[in-house]
Amino acid sequence: MTSTSASALLYAASISLPTTTGTRPDDELTRAKAWHVKNGRFENPWESWSTMSPWRIMSGMLKRRFTGKANSPDTTPPTVPVQTPTFLPSREQNDKIRATWLGHACYYVEFPSGLRVLFDPVFTDRCSPFSFMGPKRYTEMPCTIADIPIIDAVVISHSHYDHLSHPTVTKIAKRHPNCQFFVPLGNKKWFEACNIHQCTELDWWDEVDFTLTPQHPSSADTKPSVSSVGSESTPSDKTITSKISCLPCQHIANRGLTDRGATLWASWAVTSGGKSLWFGGDTGYRAVPEESDGKDDWAEEYAHLPTCPAFKDIGRLRGPFDLGLIPIGAYMPRWIMSPMHANPRDAVEIFRDTACKRALGIHWGTWVLTEEDVLEPPRMLRKALAHHSIPETGVFDVCDIGESREV
């Protein structure tokens, strides 16, 4: 598959000023923006969050390894099937959202309006600041950036290396120079240092109108540039409108050892062509204690643990959503990972809270980041759905890497 960014160049983008009133919780935490703390840092403001120092995390993981409690996931093939993705050949109009999983948290979403959005793209072998060390893919990339014909917007959830890749975003910006990047607060400075200036940063509960207006080239410019099957060679006469919202989630952000909380993390909502999508990015739901290790932390003895209230606010104020992209992996050991990473049971609770009609699982199947077996998340997801008498298929699904689903 080869393509060109010529289609993106036929549209001019405009972004409204952020809307900051009306569709947000009317509570003390939100009014005070309690996630903004001293020295320009950010923190989760809920009882469901438990701050754990990097030393505590590292020592806990090392202790598990030395005592034999740690599990080393087997990545011997076959694991998650990978197929070559197919994308719509132009800005086709229909009444469905078409979502293609490109591994881990990356989804390419084709909206009925013609809008094309890429979420958390990482097209590198490792999710690391280094090309020679760090978590290495155990499943292949299903395609390259060059295979994606149209990218109007890239949405980034936070700055961790498995969600924000310098080589990836710079390649996207070079190939699709009109692409708009949407990021949480504090991240725009990093993008500008990468010479990417078409970047909009938003705070939780902010939203903007993102409009693509067709630009009609002069007759001298109508000769197609490098084009191919699968790319759009003629402009559309239809203005594409959308609404992009930055919303809360329970996580943390850093790219080094000293910048924890220097930038914000977020979930996102995108509405276009009469369809809406919620992207969970990377999030936890509740913090479980160390004494729950090896137990069912959703058993009655832990039922009192607080859950993150932001997801019900999102569902109540911005939902319902036609599709949710919700993380289901990187959750073991639970007492370390639960504040920041949802397990499948947490994911189903988030699905219900956010009022998503359908969902697809993300944040698994690509890199070994934690201790659970690589194929455990979909197995646990089926059990979590059964707990709520939700059908195992057709509501909250997983798919192959490179596979597309229409909703």
Side-chain angles (χ1 to χ4, degrees):
M1 294 179 295
T2 58
S3 62
T4 176
S5 62
S7 57
L9 298 175
L10 298 173
Y11 278 78
S14 62
I15 303 171
S16 68
L17 293 174
T19 299
T20 60
T21 59
T23 53
R24 60 182 57 215
D26 185 19
D27 57 44
E28 184 177 348
L29 286 178
T30 306
R31 288 194 297 271
K33 294 192 173 182
W35 53 95
H36 291 241
V37 294
K38 294 180 180 179
N39 302 318
R41 302 269 169 157
F42 302 96
E43 185 61 280
N44 295 288
W46 312 289
E47 292 181 356
S48 55
W49 171 254
S50 175
T51 300
M52 194 173 296
S53 70
W55 166 248
R56 175 66 170 140
I57 294 172
M58 186 180 301
S59 61
M61 298 295 279
L62 288 173
K63 181 180 178 181
R64 288 177 60 82
R65 192 163 295 278
F66 289 141
T67 59
K69 287 186 175 180
N71 178 53
S72 297
D74 181 8
T75 60
T76 304
T79 54
V80 183
V82 179
Q83 63 186 56
T84 301
T86 60
F87 307 111
L88 296 177
S90 63
R91 297 184 189 273
E92 293 182 3
Q93 310 291 313
N94 57 46
D95 60 352
K96 295 181 179 180
I97 292 176
R98 189 173 187 269
T100 305
W101 187 33
L102 301 180
H104 198 55
C106 180
Y107 255 91
Y108 180 71
V109 180
E110 299 161 296
F111 284 86
S113 63
L115 180 71
R116 303 294 185 251
V117 183
L118 191 59
F119 294 88
D120 279 5
V122 179
F123 286 83
T124 54
D125 195 37
R126 296 183 187 272
C127 59
S128 166
F130 310 105
S131 61
F132 56 89
M133 63 180 293
K136 183 180 175 63
R137 285 179 182 267
Y138 63 85
T139 49
E140 295 180 1
M141 285 184 283
C143 66
T144 68
I145 295 168
D147 295 324
I148 303 175
I150 305 169
I151 305 176
D152 297 312
V154 171
V155 172
I156 301 294
S157 65
H158 67 295
S159 65
H160 285 162
Y161 287 91
D162 56 324
H163 297 259
L164 175 58
S165 161
H166 176 269
T168 299
V169 298
T170 52
K171 287 179 182 177
I172 291 171
K174 183 177 181 180
R175 188 170 183 85
H176 299 269
N178 280 14
C179 176
Q180 301 289 321
F181 292 81
F182 293 88
V183 300
L185 279 185
N187 287 284
K188 185 174 182 177
K189 181 179 179 180
W190 182 90
F191 275 81
E192 290 179 341
C194 299
N195 201 32
I196 299 174
H197 299 283
Q198 296 191 157
C199 180
T200 299
E201 64 176 15
L202 299 175
D203 198 358
W204 287 352
W205 300 107
D206 287 353
E207 62 183 23
V208 294
D209 293 318
F210 178 48
T211 303
L212 296 174
T213 304
Q215 302 295 292
H216 296 281
S218 66
S219 58
D221 297 328
T222 56
K223 183 178 180 180
S225 59
V226 180
S227 186
S228 65
V229 175
S231 66
E232 183 182 36
S233 59
T234 57
S236 167
D237 290 326
K238 186 177 185 299
T239 295
I240 298 172
T241 60
S242 59
K243 190 177 294 292
I244 298 181
S245 305
C246 180
L247 298 170
C249 66
Q250 182 170 291
H251 199 57
I252 196 68
N254 64 292
R255 288 182 76 78
L257 297 176
T258 62
D259 63 338
R260 181 168 177 168
T263 60
L264 189 59
W265 48 97
S267 67
W268 294 83
V270 179
T271 301
S272 189
K275 294 293 183 180
S276 60
L277 176 143
W278 181 70
F279 174 64
D282 197 353
T283 185
Y285 188 60
R286 59 205 284 268
V288 305
E290 185 173 359
E291 55 265 28
S292 70
D293 193 29
K295 302 178 183 178
D296 176 9
D297 56 62
W298 275 98
E300 186 175 352
E301 63 180 306
Y302 301 112
H304 65 284
L305 296 176
T307 60
C308 181
F311 300 110
K312 287 186 177 179
D313 288 337
I314 290 170
R316 176 172 54 88
L317 296 170
R318 302 295 177 94
F321 301 98
D322 295 291
L323 179 63
L325 303 176
I326 302 178
I328 63 171
Y331 51 79
M332 290 294 290
R334 287 283 287 154
W335 66 272
I336 293 177
M337 296 296 168
S338 63
M340 66 190 81
H341 286 166
N343 75 353
R345 174 63 188 274
D346 297 335
V348 172
E349 302 299 329
I350 292 170
F351 167 72
R352 286 156 49 88
D353 287 355
T354 52
C356 293
K357 299 174 184 177
R358 296 274 303 278
L360 293 167
I362 63 172
H363 206 257
W364 74 286
T366 307
W367 293 286
V368 171
L369 302 177
T370 49
E371 292 184 8
E372 74 273 5
D373 290 333
V374 297
L375 294 178
E376 182 180 283
R379 294 198 301 266
M380 296 295 291
L381 177 61
R382 289 191 292 270
K383 291 181 180 180
L385 292 168
H387 174 81
H388 286 293
S389 300
I390 299 173
E392 289 186 4
T393 59
V395 179
F396 192 157
D397 292 322
V398 296
C399 61
D400 295 346
I401 297 173
E403 182 181 357
S404 300
R405 296 288 180 95
E406 291 189 350
V407 176

